[in-house]
Amino acid sequence: EVQLVESGGGLVQAGESLKLSCTASGFTFADDHAIGWFRQAPGKEREGISCISTSDVWPYYADSVKGRFTISSDNAKNTVYLQMNNLKPEDTAVYYCASIIAVSICPATAWTYIPSYDHWGQGTQVTVSS
């Protein structure tokens, strides 16, 4: 069974950085796949943040995080990372990773569409204080 586990969340002050990890089991990153990062604040819809795949030359980013967040992957560790710099209070949310199995690219028109993804992690809390 595919499982995704997020880690690295915590409490930071505005302007500081965090690096989130998403470690997968049940498949290996050497196989075709895509991994997306999402976040959800209380009372708000889940928001797509970024996506990376086995063959994408460039990853996708939401406008709200472009230039501040960087997604990367380490196939040997079966892990995708989200480096978050210059954090702002509006970044406070539960952050989730999600997977699409047996695809070579992030879906160009649907990478932020929740039903595109097959599996989800449990989430990790990120809180940014002013």
Side-chain angles (χ1 to χ4, degrees):
E1 180 180 351
V2 173
Q3 290 187 318
L4 305 173
V5 179
E6 303 96 334
S7 62
L11 174 63
V12 298
Q13 294 186 342
E16 295 182 345
S17 299
L18 282 173
K19 188 174 184 178
L20 305 183
S21 298
C22 173
T23 299
S25 61
F27 74 99
T28 61
F29 281 18
D31 300 322
D32 285 346
H33 71 277
I35 299 291
W37 281 100
F38 291 74
R39 67 185 182 186
Q40 187 167 21
K44 297 184 178 181
E45 295 182 350
R46 193 165 296 187
E47 174 190 18
I49 299 301
S50 188
C51 185
I52 193 169
S53 74
T54 51
S55 62
D56 280 350
V57 176
W58 303 105
Y60 292 100
Y61 295 100
D63 288 342
S64 59
V65 306
K66 192 173 298 182
R68 298 189 297 122
F69 292 10
T70 302
I71 191 170
S72 62
S73 63
D74 186 333
N75 286 356
K77 297 181 179 179
N78 240 47
T79 299
V80 168
Y81 303 98
L82 186 68
Q83 177 67 49
M84 305 186 295
N85 295 329
N86 192 25
L87 284 162
K88 303 175 180 180
E90 53 262 42
D91 295 318
T92 296
V94 177
Y95 283 71
Y96 301 88
C97 63
S99 66
I100 309 173
I101 305 300
V103 300
S104 60
I105 60 172
C106 296
T109 61
W111 71 268
T112 61
Y113 187 52
I114 289 173
S116 296
Y117 294 83
D118 301 313
H119 301 279
W120 293 82
Q122 84 290 345
T124 185
Q125 177 71 49
V126 172
T127 303
V128 184
S129 62
S130 59

